[in-house]
């Protein structure tokens, strides 16, 4: 279900931006424990493809102005921006509710995390001086980044379902949502 009222889209855009911005800049939850993935996925599911892209770009640009970045910023930014465009298309084509929407969002989050892991660590290997420019060096880049992937997956598996639950609760009729949600869990 996409939010159709322009005012609601703006409120959600701003809310998701503030949450991800504050987490990244003020209350850092730890290495690769982040809300950018949550903001991108909820943006794609509820406000649209272009908005998800711009939301993600705005979060990355604004937070990197404060935090800084390295020469691999193009890999970190596109590690989120490419999935934002893809997910916007996926959610636009799928009309899902309840547990199915939670499932698609969560699986999408894991996919985003894996893409980000492979893409950004390729960038670290390609542009950095930490690893030799060999297959063994690339493998070392991926192996050494596994703890960061683990933390990103944990945060995604925690925050994305909670985000979908909150959104579905806010958007669905109050009396019928809980019943529909529980029934959709039982039917699967």
């Amino acid at each position: 279900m996409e939010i159709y009222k322009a005012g609601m889209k703006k409120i959600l855009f701003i809310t998701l931006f503030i949450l991800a911005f504050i987490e990244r800049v003020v209350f850092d939850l730890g290495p690769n424990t982040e809300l950018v993935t949550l903001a991108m996925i909820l943006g794609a599911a509820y406000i649209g493809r272009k908005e998800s892209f711009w939301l993600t770009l705005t979060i990355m640009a604004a937070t990197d102005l404060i935090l800084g970045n390295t020469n691999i910023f193009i890999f970190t930014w596109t590690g989120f921006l490419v999935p934002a465009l893809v997910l916007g298309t996926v959610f636009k084509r799928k009309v899902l509710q309840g547990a199915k929407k939670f499932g698609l969002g969560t699986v999408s989050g894991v996919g985003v995390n894996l893409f980000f892991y492979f893409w950004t660590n390729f960038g670290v290997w390609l542009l950095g001086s930490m690893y030799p420019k060999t297959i063994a060096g690339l493998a070392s880049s991926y192996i050494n980044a596994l703890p960061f992937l683990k933390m990103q997956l944990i945060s995604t598996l925690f925050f994305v379902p909670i985000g979908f639950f909150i959104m579905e609760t806010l958007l669905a009729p109050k009396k019928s949502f809980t019943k529909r949600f529980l029934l959709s869990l039982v039917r699967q």
Side-chain angles (χ1 to χ4, degrees):
M1 168 190 327
E2 191 173 319
I3 300 173
Y4 292 105
K5 295 182 181 176
M8 292 300 290
K9 283 185 177 187
K10 287 178 186 175
I11 290 170
L12 183 56
F13 185 100
I14 292 167
T15 302
L16 292 172
F17 172 81
I18 290 170
L19 286 172
F21 180 88
I22 289 174
E23 185 283 322
R24 265 195 107 201
V25 175
V26 180
F27 300 112
D28 182 21
L29 298 174
N32 285 45
T33 303
E34 44 82 18
L35 298 180
V36 178
T37 300
L38 170 69
M40 173 208 340
I41 292 171
L42 291 180
Y46 294 101
I47 58 177
R49 180 177 185 240
K50 287 187 288 189
E51 292 84 350
S52 177
F53 175 86
W54 287 110
L55 171 63
T56 306
L57 179 61
T58 305
I59 292 167
M60 296 306 294
T63 57
D64 278 1
L65 282 173
I66 295 167
L67 299 173
N69 206 323
T70 65
N71 63 338
I72 67 153
F73 84 94
I74 194 72
F75 286 90
T76 56
W77 286 25
T78 57
F80 285 118
L81 294 173
V82 169
L85 290 173
V86 171
L87 289 178
T89 303
V90 169
F91 278 103
K92 188 173 184 174
R93 292 183 182 180
K94 302 273 184 191
V95 179
L96 303 172
Q97 294 178 342
K100 290 182 181 182
K101 194 167 210 171
F102 282 53
L104 178 61
T106 304
V107 168
S108 296
V110 170
V112 166
N113 292 165
L114 291 173
F115 174 76
F116 186 85
Y117 164 78
F118 284 109
W119 182 240
T120 57
N121 286 294
F122 173 76
V124 167
W125 171 79
L126 182 67
L127 299 178
S129 59
M130 236 168 129
Y131 302 102
K133 303 299 185 261
T134 63
I135 297 298
L138 180 60
S140 292
S141 174
Y142 288 128
I143 290 167
N144 290 334
L146 285 172
F148 297 99
L149 173 63
K150 175 185 168 188
M151 294 310 297
Q152 194 172 25
L153 286 168
I154 290 169
S155 74
T156 295
L157 292 171
F158 180 76
F159 290 120
V160 169
I162 290 171
F164 274 97
F165 182 78
I166 291 169
M167 287 304 301
E168 290 294 304
T169 301
L170 291 173
L171 294 175
K174 299 291 182 211
K175 292 181 182 178
S176 63
F177 171 72
T178 305
K179 182 177 178 181
R180 282 195 331 247
F181 176 72
L182 293 173
L183 287 173
S184 69
L185 288 175
V186 172
R187 289 183 189 145
Q188 291 186 354

